[in-house]
Amino acid sequence: MEDIEDLLAGGGVPPGFRLPVTAAVGVKPRSKSRSTVFQDSLKSPTSAKIPGTQTIYLKTFGCSHNQSDSEYMAGQLSAFGYNLSDNQDEADLWLINTWDPFFCTVKAPSQSAMETLITKCRDAQKPLVVAGCVPQGSRDLKELEGVSIVGVQQIDRVVEVVEETLKGYEVRLLTRKTLPALDLPKVRKNKFVEILPINVGCLGACTYCKTKHARGHLGSYTVDSLAGRVRAVVADGVKEIWLSSEDTGAYGRDIGVNLPILLNALVAELPSDGSTMLRIGMTNPPYILEHLKEIAEVLRHPWVYSFLHVPVQSGSDAILSTMNREYTVGEFRKVVDTLIELVPGMQIATDIICGFPGETDEDFVETVNLIKEYKLPQVHISQFYPRPGTPAARMKKVPSNVVKRRSRELTTVFESFTPYVGMEGKIERIWITDIATDGSHLVGHTKGYIQVLVAGSASMLGTSAMVKITSVGRWSVFGEVLEILTTNVTTRVNQNKEILACSNLNETCCSKESETCACGLKSSCEHTDDVKTIPSTPNGKEPDEARSQDLIGWLLRKRKNNSPLNNETEALESDEKPRLKDGVHEWVLVDKALLCGILLSFFTIVSVMLYLGYRDVSHQF
């Protein structure tokens, strides 16, 4: 079936607006000879349901960009009333967002997982929609016969495709000239993390990669649209923003801007209290060489993670040339050395392909020596696998046993590194956004994006905390929470389970153990054995003066959040909150005043009722 072009001027419709099928989507009935199971499914009660009431099973494979696409598709389906479920059996339709290393990375293909899922869907007689890089890059795959397809630039029309598929049609939307809008409805997998695509496609032409087959040539979103999206997600409570693309460094070259311009615009939208962090996505060396100092300046910003993923792929210039990577090992070194020199605590991840066609033992030794020299904390090691249709697929291959041996050797070298040794006892600020796979730890990251596992309840998700590193592992470190940092209040937990608080990161914080401020500032703090809070007041006025100017607001604040302390830590919101004495709230002036007011009102009502009763009795006589 040929690709179905958008039939509307402008390439799409506004989010939330449905068009008649004939104007919006090109469709054709399914052929019985091709896919009889889908025809059989039309006879079931499922097909008689009102559109927008069915249940959708959504499965996502792959990279962060694909995850963002799935979140957008889930948001639109939810907005139109569809239910999303992780249960395959209860779903009326399956939506598989595919990603395959066959197209965009360097690992052996995992296409079998997709094929298995499609076969399972057919066996279950479920309507199926396939999205993502696989159908976009290889639309003629046998496995895709008889199923509906939505391309990577057509995710804003997933509702139309789903509706027509549920009616028994095969729908294909693959070609488009405009990017999907950034303000589409979205259901995040992690409500604290926004994956923000800043551009699609790439400028490269690597001999082993099929990214352009799937994502096309570079297409960048405007700076204003991306800044607006950051404002919106911050207001929505997002605490981490991941910039995602096939090559972050190439951003803006198609629209006359560059990555530093974008980064500075986005940083300006981040909250000043540091509650939301920005993480810059993968970037290839050629496109950041001319902006190294500007990017380093952004990475030094306190609300930007000092972390960057810069793939090198090989330590041999000869192999890089065969790969058509458009840079040398020396240029990669310049990127890494400059960033490490200019950005304190800089962490860099990289990628390596083992066994690329033409790689000699000498070439591989150069790669091993490069990895040994830098001892990078994250190295993604993969074996070369040829992708049909790429120049590398036609090159003479390295024997598979040699490829496997080199991969094992490099992995052994990498795993011998201990990148986090020496962190024990250090105090770090982390941003907590997830629950660890063990279910008993929370996952936070330092400014260098080092993973820190801490004990705590789910209520700590979305917060920032000061932690003491207690032990280190190969892939992450463990920490003990000392303080929970919020917008207005810092809560400190000491070894005696007492709580000390400071107003914000720019105010004085008190610590009983040291004259060093808990926020990292030197100060002369007063210490008491009681729970102590230092309120943040406007215009630098004293608390009493502030209260006199806003009595009503003070009374309202006084009466809320009087619940007992939760476990060992709880943010203390103001120094007007009632103090605890022997487990009972201590009576203060406002409590007495409110009680007097209640009693006075009661006696007044009783007096009025007695008077009215007396007057009625008098009239009777």
Side-chain angles (χ1 to χ4, degrees), residues 229-249:
R229 181 64 182 173
V230 167
R231 281 195 299 272
V233 301
V234 168
D236 199 30
V238 162
K239 301 303 178 184
E240 277 190 9
I241 300 172
W242 299 356
L243 303 186
S244 177
S245 74
E246 282 63 57
D247 188 351
T248 303

Side-chain angles (χ1 to χ4, degrees), residues 468-575:
K468 180 179 181 180
I469 305 302
T470 56
S471 63
V472 302
R474 175 61 185 83
W475 312 109
S476 59
V477 302
F478 291 84
E480 175 189 358
V481 176
L482 303 178
E483 308 170 62
I484 300 174
L485 310 177
T486 61
T487 302
N488 296 314
V489 179
T490 301
T491 302
R492 178 174 176 78
V493 185
N494 66 17
Q495 294 179 350
N496 297 322
K497 308 304 180 186
E498 296 173 295
I499 299 176
L500 304 174
C502 67
S503 58
N504 58 48
L505 299 184
N506 296 319
E507 297 290 338
T508 302
C509 311
C510 294
S511 167
K512 295 179 68 175
E513 290 85 356
S514 171
E515 291 301 315
T516 301
C517 166
C519 301
L521 303 176
K522 295 288 185 178
S523 64
S524 56
C525 298
E526 296 181 2
H527 308 301
T528 67
D529 293 330
D530 299 326
V531 175
K532 175 68 178 176
T533 60
I534 306 173
S536 182
T537 58
N539 303 322
K541 296 177 181 178
E542 294 298 322
D544 290 339
E545 185 178 354
R547 283 199 301 268
S548 67
Q549 294 188 3
D550 190 9
L551 180 59
I552 295 177
W554 176 66
L555 289 173
L556 291 175
R557 290 194 302 271
K558 179 74 177 87
R559 303 312 307 165
K560 68 187 242 182
N561 296 329
N562 285 339
S563 61
L565 294 178
N566 181 18
N567 298 327
E568 298 178 357
T569 64
E570 182 182 70
L572 302 178
E573 296 185 358
S574 69
D575 79 341

Side-chain angles (χ1 to χ4, degrees), residues 99-113:
W99 163 89
D100 199 334
F102 202 78
F103 296 98
C104 61
T105 67
V106 291
K107 297 181 181 178
S110 61
Q111 192 169 337
S112 58

Side-chain angles (χ1 to χ4, degrees), residues 151-163:
V152 294
Q153 293 188 19
Q154 297 280 13
I155 59 172
D156 56 346
R157 301 179 67 183
V158 65
V159 173
E160 303 166 57
V161 176
V162 165
E163 287 186 350

Side-chain angles (χ1 to χ4, degrees), residues 333-386:
R333 290 176 181 274
K334 181 179 179 180
V335 170
V336 175
D337 292 342
T338 302
L339 293 179
I340 290 176
E341 177 186 358
L342 298 180
V343 184
M346 184 70 197
Q347 299 285 308
I348 292 176
T350 196
D351 298 337
I352 295 291
I353 300 174
C354 287
F356 192 82
E359 182 184 68
T360 64
D361 288 339
E362 291 75 16
D363 294 324
F364 177 67
V365 168
E366 290 186 75
T367 298
V368 172
N369 290 338
L370 182 70
I371 298 303
K372 284 182 177 179
E373 177 182 351
Y374 283 99
K375 293 182 172 60
L376 299 177
Q378 296 183 38
V379 180
H380 311 124
I381 302 169
S382 300
Q383 300 174 27
F384 171 76
Y385 193 94

